[in-house]
Amino acid sequence: MLTLEKETFKKAYENKYKNLHGQEINEGSNSQKYEALGSLIKDYVIRIWMNTNKNYNITGEKQVYYFSMEFLLGRLLGDVLLNLGIMDVCRDALADFNIDLRELEELEQDQGLGNGGLGRLAACFLDSMASLNIAGNGCGIRYKYGFFEQKIIDGKQVEVSDNWLKEGNVWERKKINKAEIVKFGGEVKVQELNGNLTFTHVNYEPILAVPYDTPIVGYENDVANTLRLWSAETVYNDFDYSSFNRGELLKAIEYKNSVESISQILYPEDSFYEGKILRLKQQYFFVSAGIQSIIRHFKKYGGNIKLLDEKIAVHINDTHPTLAIPELMRILMDDEELSWEEAWRITTNSISYTNHTILAEALEKWPIEMFTKLLPRIYMIVKEINRVYCEKLNAKYEGQSDKINRMAILADGQVKMANLAVVGSHSVNGVAKLHTEILKKEEMKDLYYLYPNKFNNKTNGITHRRWLLKSNQELASLLMETIGDSFIKHPTDLIYFEKYAKEKGVQEELNRVKIKNKQRLAKRVFNKTGIVMNIDSIFDVHVKRIHAYKRQTLNCLRIMHLYNQLKANPSLDINPRTFIFAGKAAPGYYLAKNVIELINCIADTVNNDPRVNQKLNVIFLENYKVSLAEDIIPATDLSEQISTTTKEASGTSNMKFMMNGAVTIATLDGANIEIKDEVGEENIVIFGMTAIEVLNYLQNGGYSSIGIYNENKRVNRVVGDLINGTYHKDKDRFKSIYDNLITYNDEFFVLKDFDAYLAAQDKVDMLYRDMHNWQKICGINVAHSGIFSSDRTIQQYATGIWGSELIYKNL
Ligand code: 26W
């Protein structure tokens, strides 16, 4: 932990500011003040960072490499200050210069290099690895443009590019001396040399992969790990201006652009796979650079390549980095001259894989033709892996060609990445108990029977440092006043709060904290949009990617129902509610975009109807991102986790809300089940179909949404309202939602769960009437949330999968 006196810090800040900007602090803008602060903090971090790296080289402890196409870090300043232990000193010191730390924090651009859950999980994991003294490195892509910025114009989503680097990024360091060459295209020359076959990749296109490193600071433990993100450049330094005369300059510029396009954009599709060659290029680009740099580093410190798997673990976050398997094989065989068997042993021992979704449309499959042209040597290796594997399958399942075809890596003209990931790694995990069971018994059952020992569960988690200590400082203070601060290093110690949650005085304190957080959110919303939020209403929050399976539509139908009730009876005795939505739709996902428009049209209608707007308000907050989530979650009373059972692999916002003292309304899906098991049925509101019911319908059919529509009056009325002009004068405006529910038989069982959802919401309304009891439930949720810290998850990965040496220096 960094010990720093306020006066020392003030001096250092003043010096830094003057050196950087050549003027007095009070003459500068807030951006300049932020830049000076970031730069100063990085100076402190760099000492820790260098020490950590030195230590790793001395101890030679096992290095974990977390490969992920997405790292959704958000802002770093507050997190770094918290983890260094200098948040208070820094705040007080700046106050002496009349600077508000919070204002500076808000100037930092979110690092939005991810779509949603998978990318944010990777960020939480980095924080936990650093805080638990695990030598954990992130490896990914430094996208020039992050996840698009969402604007709402006339109620519709409009995508704007996220130029997050335009004002620079104080946290990263370009390491040009650690660049690697990644080879695309060309051919493979096979030759025989002393009885052995050698493979030489020729006529390829070389791309320079340049790493940018960001320190990941552990919590008060003098550790700073590394997140390494790769950027694509041409191997040629500059344009050859003499070529201008030959009329080739434009071509050179075009070429430069095409190379740089590899790390230009993050694909904004979440759970939807499109076989685009650029995405395959991105995958091989960062995986190849990452594996090459691991081996280079390993050898530099004298590592024996045959013991590589004892010294490194490579984790692949979903199938996106699966090419790490053939890439490691390639290097071990072609460069290190190991045999196939030895290379295979080392590769499979090193690599482990997490599956994050069972949605069929998310499965990555590459056309063989595209794959082999782009990656000829890698294709040869995949083909050989498949041949050896299929020999085993043929022996075991003779004559069962359908089954073998399903399980093969190469089949139907495609490379099936999930099959390759399972075959080439020693561990396959799901992200919540139910999800792992579905993987084993349904989704990957053939592979599970073949490799039962590979499969295991690691229920997701979230870092309580960012999601509680930093973003809900009011609640953190209340916790420290009551149970002390041991929960910071041992999050399951939050359980000691359960006893306090039963005290009236503490319940009142919890209520006070919640009101403060609601006021803070309301103030921000007002400043941005001019909308006034009713603090006395229930903040009913549904924030996440907009997707049919997450069922924002179910919530919409319920609001439409409530609107009808209130119109008929404006004195209906209910708690006022503000329904808060936020989330982005994939740009090409028409239905999801239509849902955003529906929410905004409902908002327009109800907020402007004086008969109901004292009790019912709807708001869609634009551009959902990590920093907005940090404002919304602490202010939430009710957390909506209403996905179609079996479809949400885990969910992680459910854990964030619980930890921040919200009550959850949920289906028995993903980690909601485990949350229910932790807090008990009386402290969560559960409704809807069970997994067995859903799977039964999916397998045997028999569901008819039109039947429900015809028989259930309430359903009939609200579904009808979608197309009768109540919410938009163009009656066809929400036709896609209507068709989805009625014409296409409601794939996600929205209508089936409608009545149960209304009943559950009535229960919420009843519970909220008794403030003390409500806050008791919230407090019990906080008390039981410690198990959902990503520290627990990471310890399970470390001991159960990676075999890292856990040195609890700080515990
Ligand atoms: C190929 C396109 C694509 C892109 C992203 C396919 C799949 C994805 C991700 C796997 C989607 C994702 O973020 N999944 C979420 O992962 C979280 C972390 O494990 C879980 O909590 C969510 O339930 C799951 O939807």
Side-chain angles (χ1 to χ4, degrees), residues 343-457:
W344 185 244
R345 177 190 64 75
I346 294 171
T347 300
T348 49
N349 278 348
S350 304
I351 290 182
S352 46
Y353 153 62
T354 299
N355 174 289
H356 292 267
T357 182
I358 59 156
L359 297 180
E361 61 269 31
L363 278 184
E364 293 194 296
K365 297 172 268 196
W366 298 106
I368 288 181
E369 213 188 295
M370 178 201 285
F371 193 101
T372 182
K373 265 199 201 124
L374 188 69
L375 308 167
R377 176 64 184 133
I378 292 298
Y379 180 67
M380 289 173 99
I381 294 171
V382 171
K383 208 168 150 191
E384 181 61 10
I385 294 174
N386 184 59
R387 191 192 61 77
V388 177
Y389 166 63
C390 283
E391 250 177 28
K392 185 170 163 176
L393 294 183
N394 281 319
K396 205 170 164 116
Y397 305 117
E398 216 191 304
Q400 301 181 48
S401 58
D402 276 0
K403 186 177 188 136
I404 294 172
N405 204 51
R406 261 200 322 270
M407 297 174 77
I409 296 163
L410 300 178
D412 316 320
Q414 295 170 319
V415 185
K416 303 198 172 168
M417 300 298 264
N419 291 350
L420 177 57
V422 175
V423 174
S425 51
H426 66 280
S427 167
V428 178
N429 75 280
V431 290
K433 276 183 195 160
L434 174 69
H435 170 59
T436 302
E437 283 312 300
I438 294 174
L439 282 182
K440 294 201 297 198
K441 307 283 160 58
E442 308 282 337
E443 205 61 18
M444 296 191 163
K445 71 169 183 256
D446 297 326
L447 287 161
Y448 173 59
Y449 285 117
L450 191 64
Y451 303 114
N453 298 328
K454 287 192 186 186
F455 284 74
N456 63 89
N457 176 245

Side-chain angles (χ1 to χ4, degrees), residues 66 69-70 115-122 125 267-274 279 283 317-320 354-359 361-366 430-432 435 458 460-461 545 549-550 643 647-655 669-671 797:
Y66 197 83
M69 274 204 107
E70 306 188 4
N115 273 284
L118 164 131
R120 183 55 231 174
L121 185 78
F125 280 6
Y267 273 90
E269 275 88 29
D270 157 272
S271 319
F272 186 78
Y273 158 78
E274 247 185 316
R279 188 170 164 93
Q283 296 188 348
N317 200 19
D318 215 88
T319 54
H320 320 152
T354 299
N355 174 289
H356 292 267
T357 182
I358 59 156
L359 297 180
E361 61 269 31
L363 278 184
E364 293 194 296
K365 297 172 268 196
W366 298 106
V431 290
H435 170 59
K458 298 284 172 280
N460 281 166
R545 286 301 291 262
Y549 86 81
K550 294 179 187 278
S643 54
K647 299 290 180 185
E648 188 71 273
S650 161
T652 43
S653 76
N654 44 5
M655 302 167 184
D669 198 16
Y797 274 87

Side-chain angles (χ1 to χ4, degrees), residues 3 90 162 266 371 377 420 538 610 687 751 764 798:
T3 34
C90 176
D162 168 43
L266 163 79
F371 193 101
R377 176 64 184 133
L420 177 57
I538 301 178
F687 74 98
L751 303 188
V764 169

